């Protein structure tokens, strides 16, 4: 009725049927062409199973080894992170969105999720804007320049504003500055958790604020 297509999404972080090294290990090869080939295989296998959308790549920069999810990204360097992000998008999506045997990529987690205080997952992030723009955003921008079709908002709050209700991230940067034409999906329960953050009064208010 609303002309919203059914999209079957799945985490295919380092392979689907064929399991490859984790993204941190693939980044250590310094070989974007290899990484593109790996994700193209994952895309082909996922597509054959009826999946059209993968919740990958994770392009968060991580500089605190205590953060357990750093294994899903490319490490601490934004230049390498940008190269790997672009390579993964090309592998997943192919030459264009809708390419046969390929899937839609989803960049996560927008943004600065890997900078959580003390490496505690979901914890608050406090960053000056120059660090945000020079360290944590370049992989996202590179992946969008490669044509990524979707972005996942993060759980945590950035400078006291939850990422899933953050106008600077989702409107000012993503839409107005970068002209992103694709769609944004929340991480699991991230909209509901706006209530936990104290950012929304109840689930209805949370949905309104996220929208």
């Amino acid at each position: 009725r609303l002309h919203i297509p059914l999209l079957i999404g799945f985490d295919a972080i380092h392979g689907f049927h064929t399991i490859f090294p984790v993204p941190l290990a693939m980044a250590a090869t310094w070989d974007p062409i290899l990484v593109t080939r790996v994700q193209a295989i994952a895309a082909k296998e996922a597509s054959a199973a009826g999946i059209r959308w993968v919740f990958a790549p994770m392009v968060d920069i991580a500089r605190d080894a205590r953060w357990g999810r750093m294994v899903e990204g490319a490490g601490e360097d934004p230049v390498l992170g940008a190269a790997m992000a672009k390579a993964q998008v090309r592998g997943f999506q192919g030459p264009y969105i809708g390419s046969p045997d390929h899937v839609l990529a989803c960049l996560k987690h927008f943004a600065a999720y890997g900078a959580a205080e003390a490496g505690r997952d979901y914890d608050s992030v406090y960053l000056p804007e120059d660090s945000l723009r020079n360290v944590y955003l370049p992989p996202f921008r590179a992946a969008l320049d490669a044509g990524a079709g979707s972005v996942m908002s993060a759980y945590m709050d950035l400078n006291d504003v939850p990422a899933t209700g953050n106008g600077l991230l989702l409107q000012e940067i993503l839409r107005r500055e970068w002209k992103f034409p694709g769609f944004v999906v929340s991480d699991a329960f991230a909209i509901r958790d706006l209530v936990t953050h104290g950012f929304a009064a109840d689930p209805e208010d949370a949905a309104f604020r996220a929208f």
Side-chain angles (χ1 to χ4, degrees):
R1 180 175 62 87
L2 298 176
H3 304 285
I4 299 173
L6 176 64
L7 269 177
I8 305 298
F10 193 78
D11 272 318
I13 298 166
H14 56 106
F16 182 74
H17 178 73
T18 304
I19 302 303
F20 293 99
V22 295
L24 188 62
M26 288 196 289
T29 67
W30 292 78
D31 190 344
I33 295 174
L34 173 65
V35 171
T36 297
R37 290 172 57 203
V38 163
Q39 301 299 35
I41 292 170
K44 185 173 184 178
E45 293 178 350
S47 178
I51 292 164
R52 296 291 178 264
W53 181 30
V54 292
F55 304 129
M58 191 190 91
V59 300
D60 295 304
I61 295 294
R63 293 182 165 181
D64 189 332
R66 294 173 294 182
W67 190 50
R69 297 193 67 174
M70 68 185 306
V71 70
E72 296 177 47
E76 64 183 359
D77 184 76
V79 176
L80 178 61
M84 290 297 146
K86 187 180 296 186
Q88 291 188 76
V89 168
R90 289 173 174 164
F92 282 130
Q93 293 190 172
Y96 57 90
I97 291 176
S99 296
D101 297 327
H102 287 81
V103 294
L104 187 72
C106 183
L107 311 179
K108 61 186 190 183
H109 308 83
F110 197 70
Y113 185 53
E117 284 199 318
R120 294 190 294 261
D121 202 23
Y122 302 4
D123 207 350
S124 298
V125 172
Y126 294 97
L127 285 176
E129 191 166 352
D130 64 336
S131 294
L132 175 67
R133 290 182 177 274
N134 292 321
V135 177
Y136 294 91
L137 290 184
F140 286 97
R141 182 59 192 264
L144 292 179
D145 288 344
S150 68
V151 170
M152 182 182 292
S153 63
Y155 281 119
M156 88 299 158
D157 57 274
L158 174 64
N159 299 332
D160 294 323
V161 181
T164 298
N166 194 303
L168 172 67
L169 292 177
L170 299 176
Q171 290 294 332
E172 187 62 35
I173 295 175
L174 189 61
R175 297 296 189 189
R176 297 191 184 100
E177 290 185 25
W178 294 356
K179 310 297 183 187
F180 175 57
F183 68 93
V184 176
V185 61
S186 68
D187 208 342
F189 309 117
I191 292 176
R192 185 191 67 187
D193 286 351
L194 294 180
V195 179
T196 306
H197 282 284
F199 190 73
D202 51 43
E204 182 179 357
D205 186 40
F208 175 80
R209 290 177 179 271
F211 183 79

